[in-house]
Every structure is written in structure tokens, then in C-alpha cells.
Amino acid sequence: MFESEELIKMRAKLAGEAGAAYSQARKNDVQVMYQYLNPQPGEHILGFWEGNGFFCKLIAEAVGSQGKYLVSDPSAYLLDRLKSRFPMPQVETLVSSSEELDLPAESLDKAWSFATFHDAVSQTQVVANIYKALKPGGLLFIGDVFQGSSASRYFDSIVSKYREGGHEAKFLSEEFADSLCFINGFKSEKVRVVELLQKWYFASENDIATFLYKILAMNLFPGDEPERIEQTRKGLKDFFEIEYSEGMYELHWPMKALIAEK
């Protein structure tokens, strides 16, 4: 899906504000990246749809000067912004939708996406492109919201209504995730789906609402920004479990990961 530059800039601004204000909220996401992607010195890794660059610096540091972190995204604006934030020689960018990726065969050690695969127009084509580009033994990791979860219901019920530009999502089922890999050449015994019991951490419930309002760009809620944030807050407990522990509010954000080895 191709969107206007104005819309992309607006969303990037809001996501940047959320990331700056709540820099520790997604520490579980970082742990998942290290656990399952496990970037190593010298590796060549593709981050597809990582235009906002949340993981960029960490992965680039892990692969080091002898490695490469290639970030692809259809938005030239997001990639130019990413390069200015992380001017590291091992970070390379490629303006391309994931359906149109045309990378050299067997050029990647790993490829991954986190919380973006549901935006793919053709998930089959994306996996086909990545399978071709992976070296034998290479790893594909796709972490995302899956069908039937509270998060998928939240996207379909709330985000699709109030996110400027909409949100047409194709959430995976475990069955289709397995089929997607099989039809593109991965051996079934080297494909698995794992639960990611993600939690995001905040000092207050209002902080949770502010973060979600901004990172999901739900500015079609009526009213000014404080009123939109309050409307976001009111609906959260209809979908999510929120716990209070050790001085922090924990938002449970259910995800799964498709992990396949070539």
C-alpha cells in the first residue's frame, strides 16, 4: 500500500514523539529481537518495513563494521530520516516495497520484520523474495499480531476506524503461516510459530493511551489531542489486560512469531 508523503510524515512525527517520551516502554520487543534474531558480527541482515528504525542502531551495532543491516521500506522519506539518525557505514537503505524486493540470491544471513507484516499486499510474494535472498541455513523471522488475538480485534475494531489513512490488515493465522513457508520452499520441520508474551511498560494508564494514540496515529478521534487520548484510554480495557506491578503499568500486547530456516 502506497500512501502520501504528508500522511507518512504525520505518522512518523507521532511515532517519534511516542518513542522519545516512552523510550523504555518496548524493552520486551528489544529482548525478543536479541533472543530470536540474535544478530552476530559480520552478518548481513535485512529489516523489511523497518523505516521507522526502532531496532536499527541495536542491530547495526551487533553486526559491526564487517556486517550489514539493510533496511527496506517503500518510503524514501522514512529511509532518509533513518540514515540521518543512524549514519553508520553498515546501515544501508533500499526504497522498495517488500513485494518488489529483488536482492541477489543467497546474499542474506537473516531477514526479519516486527509488527509490520500484516501490511503486506501479497504476503506470498514477500516470503518468496526473501527465501531467494537467504543463504542456505539463513533465518526468516516475522513477529506480528496474529488472527484471533485481543490485539487483532483492537486493530479491526478501533484502529481501522480512527487511524488517519485507515488500517487494512492481513493478520496471519498459524495455519497460513505454515503454508506460506511451505509453498515458498521452506521445509516444514524447519518452520515454527512461537508465542511472544509481550508487555509494554508505563508509569500510568494515561501514558499507555498517549503511546497507543501516537504510535498508531489515531487522530480521527474527535476533539483536540487530550480528548483523543482520553477516548483511546476509555477503550483499552475492553481489549487488553493491564497489570500494575512494581510501580509500573504493564500492557499485555499479544503477538506470535513465524520463524523459518532455509
Side-chain angles (χ1 to χ4, degrees), residues 1-11 75 164:
M1 182 188 301
F2 294 95
E3 297 173 319
S4 71
E5 187 173 273
E6 180 180 347
L7 189 59
I8 290 169
K9 287 182 177 180
M10 179 275 293
R11 290 179 180 166
S75 168
E164 187 168 351

Side-chain angles (χ1 to χ4, degrees), residues 11-260:
R11 290 179 180 166
K13 177 179 181 294
L14 287 174
E17 290 172 357
Y22 307 106
S23 59
Q24 297 301 308
R26 295 181 61 188
K27 59 185 179 182
N28 270 179
D29 296 349
V30 172
Q31 291 168 356
V32 163
M33 183 274 288
Y34 282 125
Q35 179 180 355
Y36 291 106
L37 184 64
N38 188 26
Q40 295 296 307
E43 288 185 332
H44 287 202
I45 298 176
L46 168 69
F48 54 104
W49 272 310
E50 215 225 314
N52 277 318
F54 178 76
F55 299 95
C56 183
K57 184 174 185 289
L58 300 175
I59 295 174
E61 289 174 341
V63 300
S65 60
Q66 300 304 307
K68 178 170 71 174
Y69 188 42
L70 174 62
V71 180
S72 69
D73 196 279
S75 168
Y77 168 77
L78 289 180
L79 294 180
D80 287 345
R81 183 171 170 265
L82 181 143
K83 282 293 287 184
S84 68
R85 292 163 59 207
F86 308 115
M88 306 164 77
Q90 63 267 45
V91 175
E92 297 183 10
T93 59
L94 175 64
V95 179
S96 174
S97 72
S98 297
E99 290 86 353
E100 296 176 341
L101 280 173
D102 187 17
L103 300 174
E106 300 186 0
S107 60
L108 297 174
D109 295 293
K110 297 169 181 173
W112 93 308
S113 74
F114 197 88
T116 56
F117 189 67
H118 59 261
D119 288 327
V121 175
S122 174
Q123 295 173 334
T124 301
Q125 187 60 55
V126 175
V127 174
N129 294 344
I130 290 173
Y131 183 86
K132 183 194 83 168
L134 284 174
K135 300 174 184 177
L139 181 77
L140 169 64
F141 175 98
I142 296 172
D144 208 344
V145 169
F146 270 54
Q147 288 183 18
S149 67
S150 57
S152 71
R153 291 191 297 108
Y154 185 72
F155 274 107
D156 289 343
S157 300
I158 304 299
V159 181
S160 294
K161 290 178 183 176
Y162 298 111
R163 184 178 193 239
E164 187 168 351
H167 188 269
E168 292 187 26
K170 295 172 64 179
F171 296 115
L172 288 172
S173 65
E174 290 195 27
E175 293 79 9
F176 185 61
D178 179 73
S179 297
L180 191 58
C181 290
F182 177 82
I183 61 181
N184 282 300
F186 289 98
K187 303 295 185 184
S188 293
E189 62 270 20
K190 294 188 176 182
V191 176
R192 59 193 173 114
V193 174
V194 300
E195 295 273 356
L196 301 178
L197 302 177
Q198 300 308 96
K199 295 179 181 180
W200 292 347
Y201 299 89
F202 301 90
S204 70
E205 290 189 8
N206 190 68
D207 286 346
I208 297 175
T210 303
F211 180 81
L212 288 182
Y213 160 74
K214 290 191 172 186
I215 202 167
L216 298 175
M218 293 190 292
N219 57 359
L220 293 185
F221 275 120
D224 58 17
E225 184 166 275
E227 290 172 317
R228 295 169 184 170
I229 291 169
E230 175 60 16
Q231 290 176 83
T232 303
R233 187 194 65 78
K234 285 180 178 179
L236 287 178
K237 290 185 179 179
D238 293 336
F239 296 90
F240 299 108
E241 181 181 353
I242 299 173
E243 292 183 326
Y244 184 75
S245 177
E246 298 181 356
M248 297 296 290
Y249 288 86
E250 302 173 354
L251 173 70
H252 292 241
W253 189 263
M255 297 177 67
K256 296 181 182 180
L258 168 60
I259 302 170

